[in-house]
Amino acid sequence: MIYIIQKNMFDDLKVLFTEEEVQNRIKELAEKLDSDYLNCEDVVIVSVLNGAMFFTIDLFKKMKTRAILDTLQASSYVGTESTENVILKKDIDVDIKGKDVIIVEDIIDSGKTLQVIKAHLLKKEPNSLKIAVLLDKPERRKYDVDVDYVGFTIPNKFVVGYGFDVDGKGRNIPYIGYIDN
Ligand code: IMP
Ligand code: MG
C-alpha cells in the first residue's frame, strides 16, 4: 500500500499508544535489561538511526547499567514501502569484540533490516548480541530474526510518531499513532 503525504494527514492519526503507555513500558524494559546485564562489564548499546533515537534515549536514561552508546544507520524504506534493499549508511565506531551488545531498534517489520544489521555486527565478534525493539509487527515477518526484548506487539498498521515517520516526517509527534484507512 502506498501512502501519499497529504497536507493534514497527521491530523487524522489514531492513537495506538499514549506517551504515558510508551514510557511505562520502556521503564519495564529498562528494568529487565538492568537485571539481565547486571554481571556484564562491557555493555554496548547500538541504536539504529534515525527511527530508534527516541526509544533509545528514553530506554537508556531509565537504565542503571553504565553502557557505552553507539549508533549505526540503515535505510530500507521509501514512503511506507519497505524496499528490502537495506543499505548500511553509517557503521558503529566502538570496537565491540568481546563485549555484550544490545541492538536497539524502533520496529521489526519484515525483519530484513535487523537480519542485515545482526549479521554485520556478528562479524565483529561480540561476546553476546541481543535485540531490543519497541514494536513488533509479526504479521509482516518474512525474515526470521530472534528478538529478545519487545515493547509492544502490534497489528499490521503503519505507525507514525515517537520516532516513526512517513518520508521523514511525523517523528516528533509525542505518542504512537497510526494511519486509519
Ligand atoms: P524491516 O526491515 O521490514 O523489518 O523494516 C524495519 C524498518 O522499517 C524500521 O527500522 C522502520 O524504520 C521502518 N518501518 C517499518 N514499519 C514501519 C511503520 O509502521 N512506520 C514507520 N516506519 C516503519
Ligand atoms: Mg528504522
Side-chain angles (χ1 to χ4, degrees):
M1 201 183 308
I2 307 268
Y3 291 99
I4 306 206
I5 303 188
Q6 291 153 352
K7 205 164 166 234
N8 301 318
M9 70 175 287
F10 296 126
D11 298 346
D12 297 326
L13 287 183
K14 301 272 188 301
V15 178
L16 190 58
F17 301 110
T18 64
E19 280 184 86
E20 196 188 356
E21 286 169 332
V22 170
Q23 293 305 322
N24 288 344
R25 182 66 187 125
I26 293 176
K27 179 104 192 356
E28 291 174 355
L29 289 177
E31 284 166 5
K32 176 83 175 98
L33 284 163
D34 279 340
S35 82
D36 289 359
Y37 286 84
L38 193 63
N39 298 315
C40 298
E41 278 293 310
D42 282 312
V43 180
V44 181
I45 288 178
V46 175
S47 178
V48 184
L49 300 174
N50 293 322
M53 289 171 85
F54 293 72
F55 173 42
T56 306
I57 290 168
D58 287 337
L59 178 71
F60 196 31
K61 283 201 299 192
K62 289 175 171 62
M63 286 171 67
K64 294 191 173 69
T65 306
R66 299 300 165 222
I68 292 169
L69 178 62
D70 204 346
T71 57
L72 65 67
Q73 188 166 26
S75 179
S76 67
Y77 252 69
V78 176
T80 58
E81 289 300 297
S82 175
T83 61
E84 285 186 23
N85 183 11
V86 177
I87 309 155
L88 206 67
K89 289 188 182 168
K90 180 213 169 280
D91 201 354
I92 54 169
D93 297 313
V94 171
D95 179 7
I96 58 168
K97 187 167 182 176
K99 296 181 180 155
D100 294 298
V101 177
I102 309 162
I103 302 171
V104 176
E105 171 62 313
D106 52 6
I107 189 166
I108 180 162
D109 189 37
S110 74
K112 182 69 181 175
T113 305
L114 277 169
Q115 190 185 65
V116 168
I117 291 171
K118 190 176 178 184
H120 172 75
L121 293 180
L122 278 175
K123 285 193 222 140
K124 298 176 189 277
E125 299 175 33
N127 180 53
S128 69
L129 183 63
K130 287 194 176 178
I131 298 176
V133 298
L134 182 58
L135 303 183
D136 180 5
K137 252 192 234 179
E139 282 170 50
R140 296 255 306 170
R141 196 79 83 258
K142 275 203 217 159
Y143 303 88
D144 195 25
V145 187
D146 287 336
V147 177
D148 305 278
Y149 305 90
V150 175
F152 303 98
T153 300
I154 62 162
N156 185 11
K157 303 233 183 256
F158 196 83
V159 295
V160 183
Y162 193 70
F164 295 98
D165 69 301
V166 185
D167 275 344
K169 291 191 179 162
R171 292 195 198 275
N172 60 331
I173 292 164
Y175 58 90
I176 299 178
Y178 65 95
I179 300 165
D180 195 22
N181 56 349

